Amino acid sequence: MSTPTLVLVVGAFDPSGSGSLPADAVTCARLGGHALSAITAVHVQDTVSTEDIQILSPELIDDQIRCVLEDMNIQAIKVGGLYNIESVRVLAQIAADYSHMPLMLHLEALPDNSLLEDDDPEEVLSALFELLLPQTNLVLAEHNLLAHWKTDGLLAGSDTDPPVRVLQEYGARWVLSTGFPIRPGHKACLLHGPEQATFNWEWQAPPPRLANPNGPLSCALAIELGKGSAMPQAVETALALAEPLAASTFQPGMGSRLINRSIP
């Protein structure tokens, strides 16, 4: 029997199963990987809203990650859900210590200020850009989110610089943006690489109010990087694997629709 690709998923625990942990662990298993987990925070959350976020100490985050890294031959790290500057610093140091290991960063919307204890979300984002992006092999983000951050001044650079270029100026090698408008009435998944290389694939708009639509894609990308697949083939394969999974949804509560990861 073949050994599954080992992916370390670093992120928050979402008890609703909308995204992050444990949803990513189930998704990785569906896609032929085995997810090891390091929890950065615990949400109090349902499908309607997030009521509270309890952030774990940087020492505990560091201990979780290094414990499994020293035991197993992990092949890729997938990062999301970093809510304070100390958590970012922990991941940046680990990335430096394990620089041979592919690092995939999934950028998502920042939590409300009221849910975080100390650091301002904008300062956390700035630390993430400065400390972690230079060590990241691939960044995944929705185009509308990046455009919103650029409009709000969260992405430095001139007004004419597209958001993905700003991420590359921080040091990200490759950036994959979903829902990128390549021409009027047509959007795509657009991959930006070194020396202004670009590749695009057809993008299927997710159903309205779907939670974490890029969750399966982020897991598939981490698995492909862990296998040693090169860009852009890793992205093309990941898109083909993730699209059928993300297309099946259901609504278990009164809020967002969720991806149905139970479908064979």
Side-chain angles (χ1 to χ4, degrees):
M1 296 179 64
S2 61
T3 301
T5 304
L6 301 183
V7 175
L8 173 59
V9 179
V10 181
F13 180 82
D14 173 359
S16 74
S18 301
S20 194
L21 298 167
D24 281 354
V26 178
T27 304
C28 284
R30 288 284 309 277
L31 296 172
H34 175 75
L36 300 92
S37 304
I39 296 175
T40 61
V42 177
H43 286 201
V44 178
Q45 176 179 344
D46 56 20
T47 62
V48 178
S49 64
T50 302
E51 298 181 5
D52 190 21
I53 295 177
Q54 294 294 320
I55 301 173
L56 273 66
S57 71
E59 294 80 12
L60 184 54
I61 296 171
D62 187 72
D63 287 346
Q64 290 180 84
I65 296 173
R66 293 188 184 276
C67 184
V68 294
L69 282 172
E70 293 168 6
D71 176 50
M72 287 172 272
N73 182 28
I74 295 170
Q75 291 148 288
I77 301 177
K78 172 189 175 305
V79 176
L82 299 178
Y83 298 147
N84 63 15
I85 294 174
E86 288 304 314
S87 299
V88 175
R89 287 175 178 161
V90 165
L91 263 295
Q93 185 59 59
I94 289 172
D97 294 343
Y98 292 84
S99 57
H100 64 281
M101 193 176 301
L103 178 66
M104 205 283 295
L105 177 63
H106 185 187
L107 292 176
E108 298 182 271
L110 300 171
D112 293 335
N113 291 41
S114 60
L115 296 175
L116 302 181
E117 298 174 352
D118 300 317
D119 295 330
D120 185 289
E122 295 183 10
E123 295 178 355
V124 176
L125 195 61
S126 178
L128 191 149
F129 291 161
E130 294 176 6
L131 300 177
L132 203 56
L133 278 189
Q135 305 184 74
T136 301
N137 298 80
L138 176 63
V139 177
L140 170 65
E142 296 178 10
H143 168 75
N144 286 343
L145 175 64
L146 296 180
H148 176 70
W149 285 350
K150 184 70 185 295
T151 300
D152 288 350
L154 302 182
L155 285 172
S158 69
D159 294 339
T160 59
D161 286 338
V164 290
R165 293 299 181 204
V166 176
L167 296 182
Q168 288 184 303
E169 289 170 4
Y170 275 108
R173 296 182 183 90
W174 295 85
V175 180
L176 178 64
S177 55
T178 58
F180 190 96
I182 57 174
R183 59 178 180 270
H186 188 80
K187 297 182 179 181
C189 294
L190 192 63
L191 177 66
H192 304 256
E195 300 179 357
Q196 298 187 354
T198 58
F199 306 85
N200 69 82
W201 296 267
E202 183 179 357
W203 178 73
Q204 298 290 337
R209 299 174 63 205
L210 177 64
N212 195 33
N214 279 341
L217 178 57
S218 68
C219 293
L221 289 168
I223 290 172
E224 289 305 309
L225 293 180
K227 290 179 179 178
S229 301
M231 308 289 186
Q233 185 59 49
V235 173
E236 184 169 334
T237 302
L239 286 166
L241 291 171
E243 184 177 328
L245 181 57
S248 177
T249 69
F250 71 116
Q251 187 167 5
M254 296 180 288
S256 300
R257 298 189 64 82
L258 306 186
I259 294 170
N260 189 350
R261 295 168 170 85
S262 68
I263 299 297

